[in-house]
Coordinates of all heavy atoms in Angstrom, one line a residue:
M1 N 3.2 -55.7 -36.5 CA 3.3 -54.3 -35.9 C 4.8 -54.0 -36.0 O 5.7 -54.8 -35.6 CB 2.8 -54.3 -34.5 CG 2.7 -53.0 -33.9 SD 1.9 -53.1 -32.3 CE 0.9 -51.8 -32.4
S2 N 5.1 -52.8 -36.4 CA 6.5 -52.4 -36.6 C 7.1 -51.9 -35.3 O 6.4 -51.6 -34.3 CB 6.6 -51.4 -37.7 OG 6.1 -50.1 -37.2
L3 N 8.4 -51.7 -35.3 CA 9.1 -51.3 -34.1 C 8.7 -49.8 -33.7 O 8.5 -49.5 -32.5 CB 10.6 -51.4 -34.3 CG 11.5 -51.1 -33.2 CD1 11.2 -52.1 -32.0 CD2 12.9 -51.2 -33.6
I4 N 8.5 -49.0 -34.7 CA 8.1 -47.6 -34.4 C 6.7 -47.5 -33.8 O 6.5 -46.7 -32.9 CB 8.2 -46.7 -35.7 CG1 9.7 -46.7 -36.2 CG2 7.7 -45.4 -35.5 CD1 9.9 -46.0 -37.5
E5 N 5.7 -48.3 -34.4 CA 4.4 -48.3 -33.8 C 4.4 -48.8 -32.4 O 3.6 -48.3 -31.5 CB 3.5 -49.1 -34.7 CG 3.2 -48.6 -36.1 CD 2.4 -49.5 -36.9 OE1 2.0 -50.6 -36.4 OE2 2.2 -49.2 -38.1
T6 N 5.2 -49.7 -32.0 CA 5.3 -50.2 -30.7 C 5.8 -49.2 -29.7 O 5.4 -49.0 -28.6 CB 6.2 -51.5 -30.6 OG1 5.7 -52.4 -31.6 CG2 6.1 -52.1 -29.3
A7 N 6.8 -48.4 -30.2 CA 7.4 -47.4 -29.4 C 6.4 -46.2 -29.1 O 6.3 -45.7 -28.0 CB 8.7 -46.8 -30.0
W8 N 5.6 -45.9 -30.1 CA 4.6 -44.8 -29.9 C 3.5 -45.3 -29.0 O 3.0 -44.5 -28.1 CB 4.0 -44.4 -31.3 CG 4.9 -43.4 -32.0 CD1 5.7 -43.7 -33.1 CD2 5.0 -42.0 -31.7 NE1 6.3 -42.5 -33.5 CE2 5.9 -41.5 -32.7 CE3 4.4 -41.2 -30.8 CZ2 6.2 -40.2 -32.7 CZ3 4.7 -39.8 -30.9 CH2 5.6 -39.3 -31.8
A9 N 3.1 -46.5 -29.1 CA 2.1 -47.1 -28.2 C 2.5 -47.1 -26.8 O 1.8 -46.9 -25.9 CB 1.6 -48.4 -28.7
A10 N 3.8 -47.5 -26.5 CA 4.3 -47.6 -25.2 C 4.5 -46.2 -24.5 O 4.3 -46.0 -23.3 CB 5.6 -48.3 -25.2
D11 N 4.8 -45.2 -25.3 CA 5.1 -43.8 -24.8 C 3.8 -43.1 -24.5 O 3.8 -42.2 -23.6 CB 5.9 -43.0 -25.8 CG 6.4 -41.7 -25.3 OD1 6.7 -41.7 -24.1 OD2 6.5 -40.7 -26.0
G12 N 2.7 -43.4 -25.1 CA 1.5 -42.6 -24.9 C 0.8 -42.8 -23.6 O -0.1 -42.0 -23.2
G13 N 1.0 -43.9 -22.9 CA 0.2 -44.2 -21.7 C 0.7 -43.5 -20.4 O -0.1 -43.4 -19.5
G14 N 1.8 -42.9 -20.3 CA 2.4 -42.4 -19.1 C 2.2 -40.9 -18.8 O 2.7 -40.4 -17.8
G15 N 1.5 -40.1 -19.7 CA 1.4 -38.7 -19.5 C 0.3 -38.2 -18.7 O 0.0 -37.0 -18.7
G16 N -0.5 -39.0 -18.1 CA -1.7 -38.5 -17.4 C -1.5 -37.7 -16.1 O -2.3 -36.8 -15.8
G17 N -0.5 -38.0 -15.4 CA -0.3 -37.3 -14.1 C 0.4 -36.0 -14.1 O 0.3 -35.2 -13.2
S18 N 1.0 -35.6 -15.2 CA 1.8 -34.3 -15.3 C 0.8 -33.1 -15.3 O 1.2 -32.1 -14.9 CB 2.7 -34.3 -16.4 OG 2.0 -34.3 -17.7
G19 N -0.4 -33.3 -15.9 CA -1.3 -32.2 -15.9 C -1.8 -31.8 -14.5 O -1.9 -30.6 -14.3
L20 N -2.0 -32.7 -13.7 CA -2.4 -32.4 -12.3 C -1.3 -31.7 -11.5 O -1.5 -30.8 -10.8 CB -2.8 -33.7 -11.6 CG -3.3 -33.6 -10.1 CD1 -4.5 -32.7 -10.1 CD2 -3.5 -35.0 -9.5
I21 N -0.1 -32.2 -11.8 CA 1.1 -31.5 -11.1 C 1.2 -30.1 -11.6 O 1.5 -29.2 -10.7 CB 2.4 -32.3 -11.3 CG1 2.3 -33.7 -10.6 CG2 3.6 -31.5 -10.9 CD1 3.4 -34.6 -10.9
N22 N 1.0 -29.8 -12.8 CA 1.1 -28.5 -13.4 C 0.0 -27.6 -12.8 O 0.3 -26.4 -12.4 CB 1.0 -28.5 -14.9 CG 2.2 -29.0 -15.6 OD1 3.3 -29.0 -15.0 ND2 2.1 -29.5 -16.8
I23 N -1.2 -28.1 -12.6 CA -2.2 -27.3 -12.0 C -1.9 -27.0 -10.6 O -2.2 -25.9 -10.1 CB -3.6 -28.0 -12.2 CG1 -4.0 -28.0 -13.6 CG2 -4.7 -27.4 -11.3 CD1 -5.2 -28.9 -13.9
L24 N -1.4 -28.0 -9.8 CA -1.0 -27.7 -8.4 C 0.1 -26.7 -8.3 O 0.0 -25.8 -7.4 CB -0.6 -29.0 -7.8 CG -1.7 -30.1 -7.5 CD1 -1.1 -31.3 -6.9 CD2 -2.7 -29.5 -6.5
F25 N 1.1 -26.7 -9.2 CA 2.1 -25.7 -9.2 C 1.6 -24.3 -9.5 O 1.9 -23.3 -8.8 CB 3.3 -26.0 -10.2 CG 4.3 -27.0 -9.6 CD1 4.6 -28.1 -10.3 CD2 5.0 -26.7 -8.5 CE1 5.5 -29.0 -9.8 CE2 5.9 -27.6 -8.0 CZ 6.2 -28.7 -8.6
L26 N 0.7 -24.2 -10.4 CA 0.1 -23.0 -10.8 C -0.7 -22.4 -9.6 O -0.7 -21.2 -9.3 CB -0.8 -23.1 -12.0 CG -1.5 -21.9 -12.5 CD1 -0.4 -20.8 -13.0 CD2 -2.4 -22.2 -13.7
G27 N -1.5 -23.3 -9.0 CA -2.3 -22.9 -7.8 C -1.4 -22.4 -6.7 O -1.7 -21.4 -6.0
G28 N -0.3 -23.1 -6.5 CA 0.7 -22.7 -5.4 C 1.3 -21.3 -5.7 O 1.4 -20.5 -4.8
F29 N 1.6 -21.1 -7.0 CA 2.1 -19.7 -7.3 C 1.1 -18.6 -7.1 O 1.4 -17.5 -6.7 CB 2.7 -19.7 -8.8 CG 4.0 -20.4 -8.9 CD1 4.2 -21.4 -9.9 CD2 5.1 -20.0 -8.1 CE1 5.4 -22.0 -10.0 CE2 6.3 -20.7 -8.3 CZ 6.5 -21.7 -9.2
V30 N -0.1 -18.9 -7.5 CA -1.2 -17.9 -7.3 C -1.3 -17.6 -5.8 O -1.5 -16.5 -5.4 CB -2.5 -18.4 -7.9 CG1 -3.7 -17.5 -7.5 CG2 -2.4 -18.4 -9.4
L31 N -1.3 -18.6 -4.9 CA -1.5 -18.4 -3.5 C -0.3 -17.6 -2.9 O -0.5 -16.7 -2.1 CB -1.6 -19.8 -2.8 CG -2.9 -20.5 -2.9 CD1 -2.8 -21.8 -2.2 CD2 -4.0 -19.6 -2.2
I32 N 0.9 -18.0 -3.3 CA 2.1 -17.2 -2.9 C 2.0 -15.8 -3.3 O 2.3 -14.8 -2.6 CB 3.4 -17.9 -3.4 CG1 3.6 -19.2 -2.7 CG2 4.6 -17.0 -3.2 CD1 4.7 -20.1 -3.3
F33 N 1.7 -15.5 -4.6 CA 1.5 -14.2 -5.1 C 0.5 -13.4 -4.3 O 0.7 -12.2 -4.0 CB 1.1 -14.3 -6.6 CG 1.1 -13.0 -7.3 CD1 2.3 -12.3 -7.7 CD2 -0.1 -12.3 -7.6 CE1 2.2 -11.1 -8.3 CE2 -0.1 -11.1 -8.3 CZ 1.0 -10.5 -8.6
Y34 N -0.6 -14.0 -4.0 CA -1.7 -13.4 -3.2 C -1.2 -13.0 -1.8 O -1.4 -11.9 -1.4 CB -2.9 -14.3 -3.1 CG -4.0 -13.7 -2.2 CD1 -4.8 -12.7 -2.6 CD2 -4.2 -14.2 -0.9 CE1 -5.8 -12.1 -1.8 CE2 -5.2 -13.7 -0.1 CZ -6.0 -12.6 -0.6 OH -6.9 -12.1 0.3
F35 N -0.6 -13.9 -1.1 CA -0.2 -13.7 0.3 C 1.0 -12.8 0.4 O 1.1 -12.1 1.4 CB 0.0 -15.0 1.0 CG -1.3 -15.6 1.5 CD1 -1.7 -16.8 0.9 CD2 -2.1 -15.1 2.4 CE1 -2.9 -17.4 1.2 CE2 -3.3 -15.7 2.8 CZ -3.7 -16.9 2.2
L36 N 1.9 -12.7 -0.6 CA 3.0 -11.9 -0.5 C 2.9 -10.5 -1.1 O 3.6 -9.6 -0.7 CB 4.2 -12.6 -1.1 CG 4.7 -13.8 -0.4 CD1 5.9 -14.5 -1.1 CD2 5.1 -13.5 1.1
L37 N 2.0 -10.4 -2.1 CA 1.9 -9.1 -2.8 C 0.5 -8.4 -2.7 O 0.4 -7.3 -2.3 CB 2.2 -9.3 -4.3 CG 3.7 -9.7 -4.6 CD1 3.8 -10.0 -6.0 CD2 4.7 -8.7 -4.1
I38 N -0.5 -9.1 -3.0 CA -1.8 -8.5 -3.1 C -2.4 -8.2 -1.7 O -2.9 -7.1 -1.5 CB -2.8 -9.4 -3.9 CG1 -2.3 -9.5 -5.4 CG2 -4.2 -8.8 -3.9 CD1 -3.0 -10.6 -6.2
R39 N -2.4 -9.1 -0.8 CA -3.0 -8.9 0.5 C -2.3 -7.8 1.3 O -3.0 -6.9 1.8 CB -3.0 -10.2 1.2 CG -3.8 -10.2 2.5 CD -4.0 -11.6 3.0 NE -4.7 -11.6 4.3 CZ -4.1 -12.1 5.4 NH1 -2.9 -12.6 5.4 NH2 -4.9 -12.1 6.5
P40 N -1.0 -7.7 1.4 CA -0.4 -6.6 2.2 C -0.6 -5.3 1.5 O -0.9 -4.3 2.2 CB 1.1 -7.0 2.1 CG 1.2 -8.4 1.9 CD 0.0 -8.8 1.0
Q41 N -0.6 -5.2 0.2 CA -0.9 -3.9 -0.5 C -2.3 -3.5 -0.2 O -2.5 -2.3 0.0 CB -0.6 -4.0 -2.0 CG -0.8 -2.7 -2.7 CD 0.2 -1.7 -2.3 OE1 1.3 -1.9 -1.8 NE2 -0.2 -0.4 -2.4
S42 N -3.2 -4.3 -0.3 CA -4.6 -4.0 0.0 C -4.8 -3.5 1.4 O -5.5 -2.6 1.7 CB -5.5 -5.2 -0.3 OG -6.8 -4.9 0.1
K43 N -4.1 -4.1 2.4 CA -4.2 -3.7 3.8 C -3.6 -2.3 4.0 O -4.2 -1.5 4.7 CB -3.4 -4.8 4.6 CG -3.5 -4.5 6.1 CD -2.8 -5.6 6.9 CE -2.9 -5.3 8.4 NZ -2.1 -6.3 9.1
R44 N -2.5 -2.0 3.3 CA -1.9 -0.7 3.4 C -2.8 0.3 2.8 O -2.9 1.4 3.3 CB -0.5 -0.7 2.8 CG 0.6 -1.3 3.6 CD 1.9 -1.0 3.0 NE 2.1 -1.6 1.7 CZ 2.7 -2.8 1.5 NH1 3.1 -3.5 2.5 NH2 2.8 -3.2 0.3
R45 N -3.4 0.0 1.7 CA -4.3 1.0 1.0 C -5.5 1.3 1.9 O -5.9 2.4 2.1 CB -4.8 0.4 -0.3 CG -5.6 1.4 -1.1 CD -6.0 0.8 -2.5 NE -7.0 -0.3 -2.3 CZ -6.7 -1.5 -2.7 NH1 -5.6 -1.8 -3.3 NH2 -7.6 -2.5 -2.5
K46 N -6.1 0.3 2.6 CA -7.2 0.5 3.5 C -6.8 1.3 4.7 O -7.5 2.2 5.2 CB -7.8 -0.8 4.0 CG -8.6 -1.6 2.9 CD -9.1 -2.9 3.4 CE -9.8 -3.7 2.3 NZ -10.2 -5.0 2.8
E47 N -5.6 1.1 5.3 CA -5.1 1.9 6.4 C -4.9 3.3 6.0 O -5.3 4.2 6.8 CB -3.8 1.3 6.9 CG -4.0 0.0 7.7 CD -2.7 -0.7 8.0 OE1 -1.6 -0.2 7.6 OE2 -2.7 -1.7 8.7
H48 N -4.4 3.6 4.8 CA -4.1 4.9 4.4 C -5.5 5.7 4.1 O -5.6 6.8 4.4 CB -3.3 5.0 3.1 CG -2.8 6.3 2.8 ND1 -3.4 7.0 1.7 CD2 -1.9 7.2 3.3 CE1 -2.9 8.2 1.6 NE2 -2.0 8.3 2.6
A49 N -6.5 4.9 3.6 CA -7.8 5.5 3.3 C -8.4 5.9 4.7 O -9.0 7.0 4.8 CB -8.7 4.6 2.6
A50 N -8.3 5.1 5.7 CA -8.8 5.4 7.0 C -8.1 6.6 7.6 O -8.7 7.5 8.2 CB -8.7 4.2 7.9
L51 N -6.8 6.7 7.4 CA -6.0 7.8 7.9 C -6.5 9.1 7.2 O -6.7 10.1 7.9 CB -4.5 7.6 7.6 CG -3.6 8.8 7.8 CD1 -3.2 8.9 9.3 CD2 -2.3 8.7 7.0
V52 N -6.6 9.1 5.9 CA -7.0 10.3 5.2 C -8.5 10.7 5.6 O -8.7 11.9 5.7 CB -6.9 10.1 3.6 CG1 -7.6 11.1 2.9 CG2 -5.5 9.9 3.2
A53 N -9.3 9.8 5.8 CA -10.7 10.1 6.2 C -10.8 10.7 7.6 O -11.7 11.4 7.9 CB -11.6 8.8 6.1
G54 N -9.8 10.3 8.4 CA -9.9 10.8 9.8 C -9.1 12.1 10.1 O -8.9 12.4 11.2
L55 N -8.6 12.7 9.1 CA -7.8 14.0 9.3 C -8.8 15.1 9.8 O -9.9 15.2 9.3 CB -7.2 14.4 8.0 CG -6.1 13.6 7.4 CD1 -5.6 14.1 6.1 CD2 -4.9 13.5 8.4
S56 N -8.3 15.8 10.8 CA -9.1 16.9 11.3 C -8.1 18.1 11.7 O -6.9 17.9 11.8 CB -9.9 16.4 12.6 OG -9.0 16.0 13.6
K57 N -8.8 19.2 12.0 CA -8.0 20.4 12.3 C -7.2 20.2 13.6 O -7.7 19.6 14.6 CB -9.0 21.6 12.5 CG -8.3 22.9 12.8 CD -9.4 24.0 12.9 CE -8.7 25.3 13.3 NZ -9.6 26.4 13.4
G58 N -6.0 20.6 13.6 CA -5.1 20.4 14.8 C -4.3 19.2 14.8 O -3.3 19.1 15.6
D59 N -4.5 18.3 13.9 CA -3.6 17.1 13.8 C -2.2 17.5 13.3 O -2.1 18.4 12.5 CB -4.2 16.1 12.8 CG -5.4 15.3 13.3 OD1 -5.7 15.4 14.5 OD2 -6.1 14.7 12.5
E60 N -1.2 16.8 13.8 CA 0.1 17.0 13.4 C 0.4 15.9 12.4 O 0.2 14.7 12.7 CB 1.1 16.9 14.6 CG 0.9 18.1 15.6 CD 1.8 18.1 16.8 OE1 2.6 17.2 16.8 OE2 1.7 19.0 17.6
V61 N 0.9 16.3 11.2 CA 1.1 15.3 10.1 C 2.4 15.4 9.5 O 3.1 16.4 9.6 CB 0.0 15.5 9.0 CG1 -1.4 15.2 9.6 CG2 0.1 16.8 8.4
I62 N 2.8 14.3 8.8 CA 4.0 14.3 7.9 C 3.5 14.0 6.5 O 2.6 13.1 6.3 CB 4.9 13.1 8.3 CG1 5.5 13.3 9.7 CG2 6.1 12.9 7.3 CD1 6.7 14.2 9.9
T63 N 3.9 14.8 5.6 CA 3.5 14.6 4.2 C 4.4 13.6 3.5 O 5.5 13.2 4.0 CB 3.6 15.9 3.4 OG1 4.9 16.3 3.3 CG2 2.7 17.0 4.1
A64 N 4.0 13.2 2.3 CA 4.9 12.2 1.5 C 6.2 12.8 1.2 O 7.2 12.1 1.0 CB 4.1 11.8 0.3
G65 N 6.3 14.2 1.1 CA 7.5 14.9 0.8 C 8.4 15.1 2.0 O 9.5 15.6 1.8
G66 N 7.9 14.7 3.2 CA 8.7 14.9 4.4 C 8.5 16.1 5.2 O 9.2 16.4 6.1
L67 N 7.5 16.9 4.8 CA 7.2 18.2 5.5 C 6.3 17.8 6.7 O 5.4 17.0 6.7 CB 6.4 19.1 4.6 CG 7.1 19.6 3.4 CD1 6.2 20.5 2.5 CD2 8.4 20.4 3.8
A68 N 6.6 18.5 7.9 CA 5.8 18.2 9.1 C 5.1 19.5 9.5 O 5.7 20.6 9.4 CB 6.8 17.8 10.2
G69 N 3.9 19.4 9.9 CA 3.1 20.6 10.3 C 1.8 20.3 10.9 O 1.4 19.1 11.0
N70 N 1.1 21.3 11.3 CA -0.3 21.2 11.8 C -1.3 21.5 10.8 O -1.2 22.4 10.0 CB -0.4 22.2 13.0 CG 0.4 21.9 14.2 OD1 0.5 20.7 14.5 ND2 0.8 22.9 14.9
I71 N -2.4 20.7 10.8 CA -3.5 21.0 9.9 C -4.3 22.1 10.5 O -4.7 22.1 11.6 CB -4.4 19.7 9.8 CG1 -3.6 18.6 9.1 CG2 -5.7 20.1 9.0 CD1 -4.4 17.3 8.9
T72 N -4.5 23.2 9.6 CA -5.3 24.3 10.1 C -6.7 24.3 9.4 O -7.6 25.0 10.0 CB -4.6 25.6 9.7 OG1 -4.4 25.7 8.3 CG2 -3.3 25.8 10.4
K73 N -6.9 23.7 8.3 CA -8.2 23.7 7.6 C -8.3 22.4 6.8 O -7.4 22.0 6.1 CB -8.3 24.9 6.7 CG -9.7 25.0 6.1 CD -9.8 26.3 5.3 CE -11.2 26.4 4.7 NZ -11.3 27.6 3.8
V74 N -9.5 21.7 6.9 CA -9.7 20.5 6.1 C -10.8 20.9 5.1 O -11.9 21.3 5.4 CB -10.2 19.4 7.0 CG1 -10.5 18.1 6.2 CG2 -9.2 19.1 8.1
E75 N -10.5 20.6 3.8 CA -11.4 20.8 2.7 C -11.8 19.5 2.1 O -11.4 18.4 2.7 CB -10.8 21.8 1.7 CG -10.4 23.1 2.3 CD -9.5 24.0 1.3 OE1 -9.1 23.4 0.3 OE2 -9.3 25.1 1.7
D76 N -12.5 19.5 1.0 CA -12.9 18.2 0.4 C -11.7 17.3 0.0 O -11.6 16.2 0.5 CB -13.7 18.5 -0.8 CG -15.1 19.0 -0.5 OD1 -15.6 18.8 0.6 OD2 -15.7 19.7 -1.4
D77 N -10.9 17.8 -0.8 CA -9.7 17.0 -1.3 C -8.4 17.5 -0.8 O -7.4 16.9 -1.0 CB -9.7 16.9 -2.8 CG -10.9 16.1 -3.4 OD1 -11.4 15.2 -2.7 OD2 -11.4 16.5 -4.5
F78 N -8.4 18.6 -0.1 CA -7.1 19.3 0.3 C -7.2 19.6 1.8 O -8.2 19.7 2.4 CB -6.9 20.6 -0.5 CG -6.7 20.3 -1.9 CD1 -7.8 20.3 -2.8 CD2 -5.4 20.1 -2.4 CE1 -7.6 20.1 -4.2 CE2 -5.2 19.9 -3.8 CZ -6.3 19.9 -4.7
V79 N -6.0 19.8 2.4 CA -5.8 20.3 3.7 C -4.8 21.4 3.7 O -3.9 21.4 2.9 CB -5.4 19.2 4.7 CG1 -6.5 18.2 4.9 CG2 -4.1 18.5 4.3
K80 N -5.0 22.4 4.6 CA -4.0 23.4 4.8 C -3.1 23.0 5.9 O -3.7 22.7 7.0 CB -4.7 24.8 5.0 CG -5.2 25.4 3.8 CD -5.6 26.8 4.1 CE -6.1 27.5 2.8 NZ -6.6 28.9 3.0
V81 N -1.8 23.1 5.7 CA -0.9 22.6 6.8 C 0.0 23.8 7.1 O 0.6 24.4 6.2 CB -0.1 21.4 6.3 CG1 1.0 21.0 7.3 CG2 -0.9 20.3 5.9
R82 N 0.1 24.2 8.4 CA 1.0 25.2 8.8 C 2.3 24.6 9.1 O 2.5 23.8 10.0 CB 0.4 25.9 10.1 CG 1.3 27.1 10.5 CD 0.7 27.9 11.7 NE 0.7 26.9 12.8 CZ -0.4 26.8 13.6 NH1 -1.5 27.5 13.3 NH2 -0.4 25.9 14.6
L83 N 3.3 25.1 8.4 CA 4.7 24.6 8.5 C 5.5 25.4 9.5 O 6.3 24.9 10.2 CB 5.4 24.5 7.2 CG 4.7 23.7 6.1 CD1 5.5 23.9 4.8 CD2 4.6 22.3 6.5
A84 N 5.3 26.7 9.5 CA 5.9 27.6 10.4 C 4.9 28.7 10.8 O 3.7 28.6 10.4 CB 7.1 28.3 9.8
S85 N 5.3 29.7 11.6 CA 4.3 30.6 12.1 C 3.5 31.4 11.0 O 2.4 31.6 11.2 CB 5.0 31.6 13.0 OG 6.0 32.4 12.3
K86 N 4.1 31.7 9.9 CA 3.4 32.4 8.9 C 3.4 31.7 7.5 O 3.1 32.3 6.5 CB 4.0 33.8 8.7 CG 3.8 34.7 9.9 CD 4.4 36.1 9.6 CE 4.2 37.0 10.8 NZ 4.6 38.3 10.6
I87 N 3.7 30.4 7.5 CA 3.8 29.6 6.3 C 2.7 28.5 6.3 O 2.8 27.6 7.2 CB 5.2 29.0 6.1 CG1 6.2 30.1 6.0 CG2 5.2 28.2 4.9 CD1 7.6 29.6 6.0
E88 N 1.8 28.6 5.4 CA 0.8 27.6 5.2 C 0.8 27.1 3.8 O 1.0 27.9 2.9 CB -0.6 28.1 5.6 CG -1.0 28.2 7.0 CD -2.4 28.5 7.3 OE1 -3.2 28.5 6.3 OE2 -2.8 28.7 8.4
V89 N 0.7 25.8 3.6 CA 0.6 25.2 2.3 C -0.7 24.4 2.2 O -1.2 23.9 3.2 CB 1.8 24.4 1.9 CG1 3.1 25.2 1.9 CG2 2.0 23.3 2.9
R90 N -1.2 24.3 1.0 CA -2.4 23.5 0.7 C -1.9 22.2 0.0 O -1.2 22.3 -1.0 CB -3.4 24.2 -0.2 CG -4.6 23.4 -0.5 CD -5.6 24.2 -1.4 NE -6.3 25.1 -0.5 CZ -6.6 26.3 -0.7 NH1 -6.1 26.9 -1.8 NH2 -7.2 27.1 0.1
I91 N -2.2 21.1 0.5 CA -1.7 19.8 -0.1 C -2.9 18.9 -0.2 O -4.0 19.1 0.5 CB -0.7 19.1 0.8 CG1 -1.2 18.8 2.2 CG2 0.6 20.0 0.9 CD1 -0.3 17.9 3.0
Q92 N -2.8 17.9 -1.1 CA -3.9 16.9 -1.2 C -3.9 16.0 0.0 O -2.8 15.7 0.6 CB -3.6 16.0 -2.4 CG -3.9 16.7 -3.7 CD -3.7 15.8 -4.9 OE1 -2.9 14.9 -4.8 NE2 -4.4 16.0 -6.0
K93 N -5.1 15.6 0.4 CA -5.2 14.7 1.5 C -4.4 13.4 1.3 O -3.8 12.9 2.3 CB -6.6 14.3 1.8 CG -7.5 15.4 2.4 CD -8.9 14.9 2.7 CE -9.7 15.9 3.4 NZ -11.1 15.3 3.7
T94 N -4.3 12.9 0.1 CA -3.6 11.7 -0.1 C -2.1 11.8 0.0 O -1.4 10.8 0.1 CB -3.9 11.1 -1.5 OG1 -3.6 12.1 -2.5 CG2 -5.4 10.8 -1.6
A95 N -1.6 13.1 0.1 CA -0.2 13.3 0.3 C 0.2 13.2 1.7 O 1.4 13.2 2.0 CB 0.2 14.6 -0.3
V96 N -0.7 13.1 2.6 CA -0.4 12.9 4.1 C 0.0 11.4 4.3 O -0.8 10.5 3.9 CB -1.6 13.3 4.9 CG1 -1.3 13.0 6.4 CG2 -1.9 14.8 4.8
S97 N 1.2 11.2 4.8 CA 1.6 9.8 4.9 C 1.5 9.3 6.4 O 1.3 8.1 6.5 CB 3.1 9.7 4.5 OG 3.9 10.5 5.3
A98 N 1.4 10.2 7.3 CA 1.3 9.7 8.7 C 0.8 10.9 9.6 O 1.1 12.0 9.3 CB 2.6 9.2 9.2
T99 N 0.2 10.5 10.7 CA -0.1 11.5 11.7 C 0.9 11.3 12.9 O 1.3 10.2 13.1 CB -1.6 11.4 12.2 OG1 -1.8 10.1 12.7 CG2 -2.5 11.7 11.1
L100 N 1.2 12.4 13.6 CA 2.1 12.3 14.7 C 1.3 12.5 16.0 O 0.3 13.1 16.0 CB 3.1 13.5 14.6 CG 4.0 13.4 13.3 CD1 4.8 14.7 13.2 CD2 4.9 12.2 13.3
P101 N 1.9 12.0 17.1 CA 1.3 12.2 18.4 C 1.3 13.7 18.8 O 2.2 14.5 18.3 CB 2.1 11.4 19.4 CG 2.9 10.5 18.6 CD 3.0 11.1 17.2
K102 N 0.3 14.2 19.5 CA 0.2 15.6 19.9 C 1.5 16.0 20.6 O 2.0 15.3 21.5 CB -1.0 15.9 20.7 CG -2.3 15.5 20.1 CD -2.7 16.6 19.1 CE -4.1 16.3 18.5 NZ -4.4 17.2 17.4
G103 N 2.0 17.2 20.3 CA 3.2 17.7 20.9 C 4.5 17.3 20.3 O 5.5 17.8 20.7
T104 N 4.5 16.5 19.3 CA 5.7 16.1 18.6 C 6.4 17.3 18.0 O 7.6 17.4 18.1 CB 5.4 15.0 17.6 OG1 4.7 13.9 18.2 CG2 6.7 14.5 16.9
L105 N 5.7 18.1 17.3 CA 6.3 19.3 16.6 C 6.9 20.2 17.6 O 8.0 20.8 17.4 CB 5.3 20.0 15.7 CG 4.8 19.1 14.5 CD1 3.8 19.9 13.8 CD2 6.0 18.7 13.6
K106 N 6.3 20.4 18.8 CA 6.9 21.3 19.8 C 8.2 20.8 20.3 O 9.1 21.5 20.6 CB 5.9 21.6 20.9 CG 4.8 22.5 20.5 CD 3.9 22.7 21.7 CE 2.7 23.7 21.3 NZ 1.8 24.0 22.4
S107 N 8.2 19.4 20.5 CA 9.4 18.8 21.0 C 10.5 18.9 20.0 O 11.7 18.9 20.4 CB 9.1 17.4 21.5 OG 8.8 16.6 20.3
L108 N 10.2 18.9 18.7 CA 11.2 19.0 17.7 C 11.8 20.4 17.6 O 12.9 20.6 17.3 CB 10.7 18.6 16.3 CG 10.3 17.1 16.2 CD1 9.6 16.9 14.8 CD2 11.5 16.2 16.3
D109 N 10.9 21.4 17.9 CA 11.4 22.8 17.8 C 12.2 23.2 19.0 O 13.0 24.2 18.9 CB 10.1 23.7 17.7 CG 9.4 23.6 16.4 OD1 10.1 23.1 15.4 OD2 8.2 23.9 16.3
E110 N 12.1 22.6 20.1 CA 12.8 23.0 21.3 C 14.3 22.7 21.1 O 14.7 21.6 20.7 CB 12.3 22.3 22.5 CG 10.9 22.7 22.9 CD 10.4 21.8 24.1 OE1 11.1 20.9 24.6 OE2 9.2 22.1 24.5
P111 N 15.2 23.6 21.4 CA 16.6 23.3 21.4 C 17.0 22.3 22.5 O 16.5 22.4 23.6 CB 17.3 24.7 21.6 CG 16.3 25.5 22.2 CD 15.0 25.0 21.9
G112 N 17.8 21.4 22.2 CA 18.1 20.4 23.2 C 19.4 19.8 23.0 O 20.1 19.1 23.3

């Protein structure tokens, strides 16, 4: 047996454990990705869907563009929001980013 054949035979036996380590690292990265990115985003999406489904007339809302007003009419995909005494806009329900506690807009309008 030559020196090269002996070197190849000795090198071939030690590579069995690295495949398992690679699978464990890959599994760890998938778990980290799930808990840090996918799960929180899914939770936020569900909360926003519940918010949009629960919109009703009289709710005080903030839109994604930063406008604050009262909902005057709820339609299928849109809501009418009163921004001032004679100003109403129609926006998509999905553009509503948050609801405010009752009386928040009055407290913002009062000089203080």
